[in-house]
Amino acid sequence: MQWLAAQVPGLVCITLDDVPGVPVVRPQHDWPGWWAKLNLFDPELIPGDLLYLDLDTVVPGDLAPLEQVGSTTMLSDFYHPQRPASGLMYIAQADKAAVWRAWLKDPAAHMRRCVTTQCWGDQGFLAGVLNPQRWQQLLPGAVVSYKVHCRGKGLPAGAAVVCFHGQPRPWAVNEAWVPT
C-alpha cells in the first residue's frame, strides 16, 4: 500500500488494517477478496466522487484527466472488452446508493451465486447494476495493461495508468518506468 501511496499523493487506503504512513478509512464490512471493493459504494464511507486504483497499479502519468471524468467509469476487461473490470474505477457519488442498496439486499447470496455461475465476481455484480463508461473509450491510450500493451514493448506514449492484472506484479518486473 505504501508503494502505491508513494506514486499517488493524497491516496487513502480502505482497509481494516493499519498502514504506516498512509491514511486509512475503515469499512463497515469485512467481505473477502475482491468483494471488499463493494465497500467503495457505501455512500457514507467516503462522501463524494472517488477514483479507485487496485494496489498493483502503476501511475507513470497524470491522473488529473481521470479524476475529472465526472461519471462512473470502469475498465473494459483487456481480454474480453464487453465485460467491465474493476481494477480502476471512477465512482460518482450519484451512483453509490443504488449499488449499495442492491448489494446489501443479500451479499452472501451474491457471493454464493458467483461461486456457482460465471458472474466474474464483483465486476459481474457491478455490470448487473451499473452501465458505466469505459476508460478505454473515454480516454484512449491513457489506461493500458502491462501484459497487453507494455510487456516487451515498453511504456506506450500517453499512458497515465498501467494495470497489472494477475502475474507478474509490478514490483516483480524490471522496467525503468516502474517505481522500486
Side-chain angles (χ1 to χ4, degrees):
M1 291 180 216
Q2 290 95 340
W3 183 80
L4 185 59
Q7 298 176 69
V8 183
L11 178 129
V12 173
C13 187
I14 299 172
T15 181
L16 294 171
D17 300 322
D18 291 324
V19 183
V22 180
V24 169
V25 173
R26 299 190 192 290
Q28 291 182 55
H29 304 278
D30 187 17
W31 293 306
W34 60 62
W35 298 111
K37 290 182 190 179
L38 274 297
N39 282 297
L40 296 167
F41 293 88
D42 176 347
E44 297 175 16
L45 184 66
I46 299 177
D49 296 359
L50 63 94
L51 180 65
Y52 167 82
L53 298 93
D54 269 358
L55 293 175
D56 61 349
T57 302
V58 175
V59 183
D62 185 6
L63 286 177
L66 286 81
E67 294 170 326
Q68 298 167 1
V69 298
S71 60
T72 298
T73 306
M74 293 177 69
L75 291 164
S76 291
D77 183 285
F78 292 106
Y79 298 115
H80 307 281
Q82 71 281 6
R83 297 181 192 162
S86 62
L88 173 67
M89 297 186 284
Y90 181 94
I91 302 171
Q93 179 71 22
D95 290 329
K96 290 179 184 177
V99 173
W100 192 240
R101 280 192 307 270
W103 175 252
L104 287 182
K105 284 182 183 175
D106 196 344
H110 297 308
M111 290 186 271
R112 196 170 40 252
R113 178 176 52 86
C114 286
V115 169
T116 59
T117 65
Q118 280 194 347
C119 85
W120 310 294
D122 63 304
Q123 301 164 147
F125 173 79
L126 292 170
V129 182
L130 292 171
N131 185 22
Q133 296 187 102
R134 303 293 181 89
W135 291 115
Q136 291 95 322
Q137 283 74 44
L138 191 63
L139 299 170
V143 178
V144 298
S145 158
Y146 174 74
K147 289 189 258 189
V148 174
H149 303 105
C150 303
R151 185 169 33 195
K153 305 171 197 166
L155 181 66
V161 174
V162 179
C163 299
F164 280 72
H165 40 100
Q167 299 297 328
R169 298 295 190 196
W171 42 87
V173 301
N174 187 17
E175 302 276 359
W177 50 268
V178 176
T180 55

